[in-house]
Amino acid sequence: MLEFLQAALGSPWLWLLVFAVSALDALLPFMPSETAVVGLAVLVGMDFGALALLAVIAATGAFGGDLLSHGIGRTAGPAVVARLQRGEKGARRYAWAQRKVAERGALLIIGARYLPGGRVAAGLATGTMRYPLRRFVALDALGASLWAVYSVVLGLLGGAGFSGEPVKGLVLAFGAGLVVVVLLEVARRAVAGRTGKDGQPCHRQNADT
């Protein structure tokens, strides 16, 4: 990946690639969006103009991809909802899922992108459950921007720590990123453990439908 990015430095097609990979990661979780952004930031180094451009392009691509994923969820939603609502138990499960998305939608939209496959799940789930579109757009714009800045900063730290040694810089950047992901997962499990309610369907419809 580093060799490819290094060979493409200076080409306008590189920015288009970053945009496309950042967008498609919302539909195809195996797309290396974070690898591309962090790796390119490592190679760019202390060129703050290029780093700012990278953050803007990555955030714009991620935002566009998330909107597409959410739109697919809204389009496919009626068929999914119909299956979920079959029978009394199905209706209760749907009401529970709907409530969870309403209660934790902000955390899902902003935070899930840091977990493998999180963007796909967040976009499709919020779309299927008819999460308010304006709220989704605002939260997702914030989440995509934070993710892009986070990825660029990781790359900048790696590049600054190992100037001229991009492989070591990338290892440092992803090591720091892995620590962040682990801490987020530990915090999520701690919150779920305290509430003790994540596995219990709700028996009442959400008023915010």
Side-chain angles (χ1 to χ4, degrees):
M1 173 66 77
L2 282 174
E3 289 178 359
F4 172 79
L5 292 174
Q6 201 160 26
L9 280 176
S11 169
W13 292 104
L14 179 61
W15 302 111
L16 180 60
L17 176 65
V18 170
F19 177 88
V21 171
S22 299
L24 290 175
D25 193 26
L27 299 172
L28 306 171
F30 56 81
M31 294 296 290
S33 60
E34 191 165 316
T35 303
V37 176
V38 173
L40 188 53
V42 168
L43 293 174
V44 167
M46 303 298 288
D47 186 342
F48 293 105
L51 290 173
L53 179 60
L54 174 60
V56 169
I57 291 175
T60 305
F63 179 65
D66 292 342
L67 288 181
L68 181 59
S69 176
H70 183 82
I72 290 174
R74 282 182 175 266
T75 302
V80 176
V81 169
R83 287 198 296 271
L84 288 174
Q85 288 186 305
R86 286 176 184 171
E88 184 179 348
K89 289 184 178 180
R92 287 203 300 267
R93 290 194 189 99
Y94 175 72
W96 172 81
Q98 193 177 44
R99 183 172 67 88
K100 288 301 177 185
V101 168
E103 288 177 352
R104 302 182 182 179
L107 180 62
L108 179 67
I109 295 166
I110 295 175
R113 69 186 63 245
Y114 298 97
L115 302 174
R119 286 180 64 196
V120 179
L124 294 177
T126 53
T128 299
M129 299 298 171
R130 298 286 173 171
Y131 192 80
L133 184 58
R134 289 185 180 180
R135 194 180 307 172
F136 176 84
V137 169
L139 289 171
D140 195 76
L142 174 62
S145 300
L146 291 175
W147 168 81
V149 172
Y150 158 81
S151 300
V152 169
V153 168
L154 281 183
L156 175 61
L157 292 176
F162 292 94
S163 180
E165 298 181 276
V167 174
K168 291 182 179 180
L170 191 63
V171 171
L172 174 63
F174 277 108
L178 181 60
V179 170
V180 172
V181 170
V182 169
L183 290 176
L184 287 172
E185 179 62 12
V186 169
R188 185 193 68 80
R189 293 192 179 197
V191 171
R194 281 200 302 269
T195 60
K197 297 178 181 179
D198 284 345
Q200 299 299 323
C202 176
H203 291 258
R204 54 199 173 94
Q205 292 284 349
N206 183 0
D208 294 332
T209 305

